[in-house]
Amino acid sequence: MPIFSALDISASGLYAERVRMDVIANNLANVNSTRTAEGGPFRRQLVILKSMGAGGAPYGSAGVRVAGVVDDPTPFPVVYDPGHPDADADGYLQMPNVSVVEEMVDMMTALRAYEANITAIDATKSMLGRTLDIIRE
């Protein structure tokens, strides 16, 4: 495994975690959106990550890739709010299936994974620099 494979693997992890953060930010932005273009409340989105396995990236390295972004199929919570314009005839309103607490936990795990990939890149850069120092000597 060439030394640059470690950089490719960490870069794929950085990209995947950035996509996760984008989706989490979108979920949080729509936590109170009761109306969408498709009709109904906003449905929480989830990122599906897939291992690339050996040979999935240049230099025969592994890594991760974003396989897709899918809607969360959990049912919408219903609240009683007869004054809301989107409430039904009985006064009940379907809210988005986004939990702020769940999104915050997902955001922290994405952040930690991003930081871990940055640390791996820094370690790889340090190894490369040390290797160049040895060659120069």
Side-chain angles (χ1 to χ4, degrees):
M1 176 182 285
I3 191 84
F4 293 110
S5 296
L7 292 174
D8 290 335
I9 292 168
S10 295
S12 72
L14 289 176
Y15 175 75
E17 297 307 325
R18 189 190 59 81
V19 171
R20 279 185 67 203
M21 289 295 281
D22 290 346
V23 169
I24 291 167
N26 188 46
N27 288 340
L28 287 171
N30 287 291
V31 72
N32 290 316
S33 297
T34 58
R35 199 180 295 179
T36 62
E38 297 82 28
F42 177 79
R43 188 168 286 279
R44 179 179 185 236
Q45 295 179 321
L46 302 169
V47 176
I48 306 297
L49 301 178
K50 182 177 180 181
S51 173
M52 289 197 293
Y59 310 112
S61 62
V64 65
R65 72 176 178 88
V66 176
V69 177
V70 298
D71 289 339
D72 183 353
T74 57
F76 297 116
V78 178
V79 298
Y80 183 69
D81 187 359
H84 196 283
D86 292 331
D88 63 13
D90 297 327
Y92 289 99
L93 173 68
Q94 285 187 327
M95 295 296 291
N97 59 351
V98 176
S99 165
V100 173
V101 173
E102 206 170 331
E103 297 303 321
M104 295 302 287
V105 170
D106 285 350
M107 185 170 25
M108 285 190 286
T109 60
L111 177 63
R112 296 293 177 244
Y114 195 89
E115 289 172 343
N117 282 297
I118 291 287
T119 301
I121 287 173
D122 286 343
T124 304
K125 283 175 29 185
S126 178
M127 288 172 56
L128 287 171
R130 186 71 187 120
T131 301
L132 291 175
D133 290 343
I134 291 171
I135 292 171
R136 279 189 225 138
E137 292 176 355

